[in-house]
Amino acid sequence: MDTSDRPARLAVGVLGAGRVGSVLGAALMLAGHRVVAASGVSDASARRATDRLGLTLSRPDEVIARSELVLLTVPDDVLPGLVSGLAATGADLRGKLLVHASGAYGLGVLDPAAEAGALPLALHPVMTFTGRSDDLTRLNGCSFGVTAPDLLRPVAEALVIEMGGEPVWIADRDRPLYHAALAGAANHMVTLVAESQELLAKIGVEHPGRMLGPLLSAALDNVLRLGISGLTGPVVRGDAGTVRKHVDALILAAPEAADAYVALARLTADRALAAGLLKPEAAERLLDALGGNIWT
């Protein structure tokens, strides 16, 4: 995006120049805004502030004083204390856009600042950030879970679009479930795939990722296009004997993974039964193989 002929519009500060804050700050810079200050507590944050934003770290009070829009990009557990601290110390928040990027929180966490005159927004990029150079390009076409007061909805939408994202409106009360859905899919998928790679390596497969790649790509494509109807494998086929062999093998090779396999197999069977993909008698056989009845 060429912004050379556009005046900068907002002075942006970043409280927490970590993986997310540095990327969102850089995206706003590309859109023509000015990132004027950033804070952080680690050497990695200092490097990101320099490399991505062209800044040295400042104190949080300096970031607030110099900014019209402040990104609060700190870990979820730190966010409430940060907001309360800003309000308690008497930082001048009047008329400043205060934007957090947490998926789990809505607008309530910003209430102390809003009472002090700040304008609250929740803009959560539905993306994983690894700290690599391609994090910024991943924002292009990325959905943002957006929660904002009615009067600020146009502002929230404009900011997301300027960063290359697509705003998706999430009701404030739905933020925890929204974030649980995202984290359950993305984070647990990483754990499951890493576990599968380790099991394959344990039996001598030299390149587990190469083996799993086409299978997982096809499975992901199937579920995104077809939902639960894209399910394949022994559970939906009702192959109770195969499922029992899986459990027995895992108990011997990776007992810490066996419970997770059983829980996920039960959930899979439950979804398949509800969708009419699995017959009740086949479901009963699977339940016996998995060690108990979960349908009551």
Side-chain angles (χ1 to χ4, degrees):
M1 181 186 301
D2 182 8
T3 62
S4 58
D5 59 345
R6 295 167 51 184
R9 289 157 295 154
L10 289 172
V12 177
V14 182
L15 288 182
R19 295 177 182 180
V20 177
S22 60
V23 169
L24 297 185
L28 289 170
M29 287 174 63
L30 287 176
H33 300 285
R34 294 178 298 123
V35 178
V36 295
S39 70
V41 296
S42 68
D43 291 340
S45 292
R47 288 193 299 272
R48 292 188 183 101
T50 299
D51 295 343
R52 287 187 168 162
L53 307 176
L55 299 170
T56 57
L57 294 181
S58 302
R59 297 194 315 269
D61 60 322
E62 294 174 338
V63 175
I64 294 291
R66 298 179 60 189
S67 305
E68 298 164 308
L69 183 157
V70 183
L71 295 174
L72 305 179
T73 43
V74 296
D76 286 355
D77 287 349
V78 176
L79 183 59
L82 172 63
V83 176
S84 297
L86 291 175
T89 57
D92 186 3
L93 302 173
R94 293 171 298 176
K96 296 181 186 289
L97 289 165
L98 218 57
V99 180
H100 79 67
S102 167
Y105 284 108
L107 297 179
V109 72
L110 298 176
D111 280 350
E115 292 170 4
L119 307 175
L121 298 176
L123 308 180
H124 173 246
V126 185
M127 180 50 61
T128 179
F129 298 96
T130 63
R132 301 186 312 184
S133 58
D134 60 351
D135 281 349
L136 182 57
T137 60
R138 285 182 170 184
L139 283 182
N140 291 323
C142 164
S143 294
F144 279 65
V146 178
T147 305
D150 288 343
L151 288 176
L152 294 178
R153 282 172 69 104
V155 176
E157 184 175 50
L159 287 171
V160 169
I161 291 172
E162 285 182 334
M163 288 187 284
E166 177 184 349
V168 179
W169 299 101
I170 307 296
D172 197 73
R173 65 181 180 276
D174 294 332
R175 296 286 291 202
L177 185 58
Y178 151 80
H179 195 239
L182 298 178
N187 301 161
H188 297 163
M189 179 183 69
V190 171
T191 302
L192 288 170
V193 175
E195 181 71 20
S196 295
Q197 288 179 304
E198 289 184 13
L199 292 172
L200 291 170
K202 186 177 292 188
I203 62 172
V205 175
E206 189 173 355
H207 300 291
R210 188 181 302 171
M211 174 179 283
L212 287 168
L215 171 67
L216 298 180
S217 294
L220 181 60
D221 179 67
N222 286 343
V223 70
L224 291 178
R225 289 189 300 108
L226 305 173
I228 195 65
S229 296
L231 181 65
T232 63
V235 171
V236 74
R237 292 195 301 265
D239 290 340
T242 297
V243 169
R244 187 66 242 180
K245 288 179 181 178
H246 291 175
V247 175
D248 291 342
L250 286 169
I251 288 173
L252 292 175
E256 69 282 358
D259 287 344
Y261 179 95
V262 169
L264 286 171
R266 288 180 176 179
L267 179 60
T268 301
D270 190 16
R271 295 296 303 272
L273 182 65
L277 302 175
L278 183 66
K279 295 182 178 179
E281 57 269 25
E284 290 299 327
R285 292 194 298 272
L286 283 168
L287 289 175
D288 290 339
L290 292 168
N293 195 332
I294 60 167
W295 292 292
T296 59

